[in-house]
Amino acid sequence: WQDATWLCLALQFLARGCSPREKLLRDRSLYIARSCQEIRAHYFEFEDGLYYLTTENGVVAGWQWGGWTLVASVHENNIYGKCTLGDRWTSQQGSNPFRPEGDGNWVNMNTFGKAEGATADDYKNPGYYDIKTRFLSQYGGNLYELFHRYPVKYIAGAPLINNGPSIPIVYDHGDKQTTKAFYGPYAQREFEPSFISFRAINWEWAAMAICCGTKPKGGQVDAYCISLRWPQNSVGDFTSFAWNGYGNHKGWSVSKDMLEAAVLLFYR
């Protein structure tokens, strides 16, 4: 999309016009803002869509939309392929006990994917480590800083004792019961709904990055949290979500809606 914008600018000099979509993106590229919230406040733009943001060191990138800033997404491209191509948030290199942090994308400045494809492929842009949000102010201001304090790696600590923070959430849509219902019947006994939790550790001392809508009360966190680091066994981004069958919502298995969903991570 960014390439299309600059192509449009070049074509103008050749007396060719831009499409309305290209013109819109070109106009948005002239904004100078560090977040979507700044675009709303300074340029009075309230329409959802892709906008260009400027990082702290002045780099311009086309990545976000709306008053919330999309910084990353996690999805499971193949529930049967463990630590294979596409498992960017765990490891694409297979199991390796000498790499306890896997690919390390929770704590590095790598970027990948495209905003417009964030629901179909893993995505991470510079806002992940560059933007600060009040929601995580106690933990460095963003996920990059939080996971430096609570590393997602094998033997990061003991289950429950060394888990990272669990923060209550407020629902715009749904409630604690609808959240709970997405997960398997066995998993529902293991957590308290209406929280977002970070760096949850299972009984084998392997760390999960994020628990969406849940606060662990037990150690089977791979059944309801994402991105497991466990070098002794092959894992994936949605590790045990299909433990008792694909999307059948039995035992530890989540619903099909949850298994085929993407986790979108926004800052505001």
Side-chain angles (χ1 to χ4, degrees):
W1 288 35
Q2 189 174 23
D3 291 340
T5 302
W6 304 129
L7 175 62
C8 176
L9 288 171
L11 291 177
Q12 280 194 317
F13 290 103
L14 298 177
R16 290 184 58 186
C18 297
S19 71
R21 183 178 185 79
E22 290 171 330
K23 183 178 184 300
L24 177 64
L25 288 174
R26 182 204 64 196
D27 292 343
R28 288 175 175 173
S29 72
L30 302 179
Y31 299 157
I32 299 175
R34 297 273 285 111
S35 70
C36 290
Q37 190 171 15
E38 285 190 17
I39 288 177
R40 290 168 62 93
H42 297 160
Y43 298 100
F44 305 104
E45 284 275 9
F46 300 98
E47 182 182 359
D48 288 346
L50 286 176
Y51 292 87
Y52 294 89
L53 302 181
T54 305
T55 63
E56 188 174 22
N57 61 4
V59 174
V60 177
W63 4 288
Q64 319 314 332
W65 63 73
W68 292 80
T69 303
L70 177 67
V71 298
S73 71
V74 186
H75 91 302
E76 182 58 75
N77 65 315
N78 179 8
I79 194 65
Y80 302 111
K82 304 301 185 181
C83 283
T84 52
L85 186 65
D87 288 328
R88 295 185 180 91
W89 294 105
T90 49
S91 172
Q92 299 186 98
Q93 313 301 319
S95 298
N96 188 337
F98 301 105
R99 299 183 63 195
E101 294 183 355
D103 287 2
N105 283 320
W106 293 107
V107 290
N108 64 33
M109 295 186 179
N110 293 345
T111 59
F112 42 81
K114 296 182 178 180
E116 61 269 31
T119 59
D121 193 11
D122 291 342
Y123 173 60
K124 180 184 173 189
N125 64 51
Y128 176 85
Y129 57 81
D130 183 75
I131 295 173
K132 302 289 186 179
T133 173
R134 286 181 294 177
F135 178 69
L136 296 174
S137 59
Q138 297 182 54
Y139 311 102
N142 55 37
L143 293 172
Y144 173 82
E145 296 291 347
L146 182 149
F147 286 121
H148 274 89
R149 302 180 185 197
Y150 297 94
V152 182
K153 64 180 183 180
Y154 184 54
I155 311 184
L160 296 178
I161 297 172
N162 298 116
N163 284 0
S166 294
I167 304 172
I169 60 176
V170 176
Y171 291 94
D172 283 333
H173 300 282
D175 53 36
K176 63 170 59 179
Q177 296 305 319
T178 56
T179 297
K180 192 173 183 178
F182 280 120
Y183 296 98
Y186 294 171
Q188 293 179 26
R189 308 169 189 169
E190 279 253 335
F191 62 75
E192 181 180 352
S194 299
F195 287 83
I196 181 169
S197 302
F198 302 97
R199 213 280 294 277
I201 300 171
N202 74 2
W203 293 127
E204 290 80 17
W205 291 40
M208 307 290 298
I210 298 177
C211 307
C212 301
T214 68
K215 179 181 180 180
K217 296 191 297 183
Q220 295 296 139
V221 294
D222 38 294
Y224 51 91
C225 305
I226 63 173
S227 186
L228 175 68
R229 280 310 307 139
W230 190 7
Q232 274 72 6
N233 195 15
S234 294
V235 295
D237 289 339
F238 288 3
T239 306
S240 299
F241 280 22
W243 188 259
N244 295 112
Y246 187 98
N248 62 12
H249 210 209
K250 296 180 180 179
W252 295 104
S253 290
V254 302
S255 67
K256 187 177 180 183
D257 286 342
M258 175 62 81
L259 185 60
E260 297 179 354
V263 178
L264 302 182
L265 301 174
F266 290 84
Y267 292 162
R268 188 170 190 175

